[in-house]
Amino acid sequence: MFQTTIAREARVEGVGLHTGVFGHLRLVPAPADVGIVFRRNDLDNFPIEAQGHNVARVSYATSLMKQGVLLSTTEHLLAAIYSCGIDNIYIDIDSIEIPILDGSAEPFMQMLQRAGVRRLRRRRRYLKVVQPLEVVEGDRRVGIYPSDEFRVRCYVDFTHPLVGQQEVEMVVSPETFRHLLARARTFCFERDIEPLREMGLIRGGSLENAIVLTEDGMMNGPLRFPDEFGRHKALDLIGDLALTGLPLLARVEAHKAGHSLHTQLVSRLLADPSLWTITTEETAYAAEHHSFAALSPAPAAD
Ligand SMILES: [Zn+2]
């Protein structure tokens, strides 16, 4: 399997969920071995690599920070790029936060479809987990385990008539992500809106970009899936796992986890090289499932 980038540029614009700042986003093809790199166009194209060592404070969204330069809410865009098997890409942005758009990864999948995929002449490297690692906080936990395929399992439990216990399990591929997760939107509880606003968060939040749950229902139905909440948490998990910097050959299980636990898992994993190996050997299973049918391939080029 060879590394990929996108075939052509694609653009979108919109407001950031937490900052409320309007930004213009552009996906740009990148050469082999660059990885996924954000560039702050408003700061002389300052680069921030989508890698664990650049993770900043994490609460309600995942933020990256490098040399004091911040970029917020990377997870939905990264989930789409990572699931689509795009290894190398520049993400140009002229603001401090990735646009939230409709609160899901669907608009980013549409961008990636417009951009297409291009195969590069360098072999893809995988991060293959060989020893398990778990991060636990009370009854919340996330673990990563050896596997020949990239598989996630995500369990959520919220005391609410529309949520309750939901579990999603899948092998991650462009097709499964697109059909099972991409359309699942972010959500919040009405009772949390004022406290979050007072913390300076969700300044760009609206009924157009988040499901708002009331005491016994929702303000802006209908749901896109009965278990949209569990699916969105799995989407968030994949977006945070993108910060490992390489495609994973591993099974990841998240139990009532969130961005903080996800990113702790990534940081601890990368900090201990005895837990993984880098390989260009693709397993028979992954080769069979990792097709790019979701995106139209363009001719190979460097
Ligand atoms: Zn999310």
Side-chain angles (χ1 to χ4, degrees):
M1 181 60 80
F2 290 88
Q3 293 184 32
T4 62
T5 185
I6 51 172
R8 63 194 79 85
E9 293 185 6
R11 295 162 192 262
V12 79
E13 58 188 45
V15 74
L17 174 63
H18 290 297
T19 60
V21 174
F22 193 88
H24 302 81
L25 179 81
R26 183 173 58 156
L27 305 181
V28 180
D33 296 332
V34 163
I36 302 171
V37 180
F38 294 95
R39 297 190 299 200
R40 283 282 300 268
N41 294 158
D42 53 331
L43 297 171
D44 288 335
N45 294 331
F46 185 86
I48 307 175
E49 297 78 14
Q51 289 184 359
H53 61 261
N54 287 332
V55 171
R57 61 185 166 75
V58 167
S59 51
Y60 293 90
T62 298
S63 297
L64 303 179
M65 185 152 74
K66 182 179 159 189
Q67 296 171 26
V69 176
L70 189 67
L71 183 65
S72 288
T73 318
T74 55
E75 59 268 23
H76 302 162
L77 173 58
L78 287 181
I81 290 170
Y82 197 55
S83 297
C84 285
I86 302 297
D87 302 295
N88 306 288
I89 191 169
Y90 295 116
I91 303 163
D92 288 356
I93 175 86
D94 63 356
S95 79
I96 193 173
E97 187 174 14
I98 302 298
I100 189 66
L101 304 174
D102 74 349
S104 80
E106 173 74 3
F108 299 125
M109 290 298 279
Q110 289 169 358
M111 281 182 91
L112 288 166
Q113 267 182 277
R114 292 200 301 275
V117 63
R118 192 174 70 176
R119 204 177 70 177
L120 301 170
R121 293 200 173 95
R122 197 81 50 87
R123 287 182 76 84
R124 170 178 284 158
R125 297 182 306 141
Y126 294 86
L127 195 146
K128 183 173 173 56
V129 170
V130 294
Q131 293 288 339
L133 172 68
E134 291 177 343
V135 181
V136 181
E137 272 180 8
D139 67 342
R140 302 169 187 275
R141 64 177 184 272
V142 60
I144 190 163
Y145 311 92
S147 173
D148 288 336
E149 58 194 332
F150 179 28
R151 175 179 285 274
V152 296
R153 190 160 75 90
C154 191
Y155 171 88
V156 302
D157 184 4
F158 288 98
T159 309
H160 188 280
L162 288 179
V163 192
Q165 300 177 350
Q166 299 184 350
E167 188 173 75
V168 174
E169 180 169 12
M170 58 182 258
V171 173
V172 182
S173 74
E175 291 75 25
T176 57
F177 183 80
R178 187 226 283 261
H179 289 113
L180 302 177
L181 303 188
R183 295 179 63 244
R185 294 161 296 170
T186 195
F187 59 95
C188 76
F189 291 87
E190 186 182 20
R191 62 171 180 268
D192 293 334
I193 288 178
E194 270 319 305
L196 287 168
R197 288 240 160 93
E198 278 164 25
M199 291 164 67
L201 297 169
I202 63 167
R203 290 177 189 176
S206 77
L207 295 176
E208 275 69 56
N209 58 33
I211 299 167
V212 179
L213 291 164
T214 59
E215 281 307 307
D216 53 3
M218 61 187 288
M219 289 176 71
N220 50 347
L223 292 174
R224 293 178 175 178
F225 306 96
D227 58 349
E228 190 165 355
F229 311 94
R231 291 176 193 246
H232 186 80
K233 283 288 189 177
L235 186 165
D236 281 342
L237 172 65
I238 293 168
D240 290 336
L241 292 170
L243 300 171
T244 54
L246 288 174
L248 276 171
L249 295 175
R251 179 170 59 86
V252 180
E253 293 195 6
H255 183 94
K256 301 171 72 171
H259 295 302
S260 172
L261 279 188
H262 302 162
T263 53
Q264 282 183 58
L265 182 81
V266 169
S267 296
R268 291 192 199 178
L269 179 74
L270 295 177
D272 186 349
S274 72
L275 300 176
W276 42 267
T277 176
I278 306 275
T279 176
T280 56
E281 290 301 311
E282 186 154 19
T283 62
Y285 184 94
E288 184 184 322
H289 284 76
H290 206 117
S291 74
F292 292 103
L295 304 169
S296 52
D302 279 322

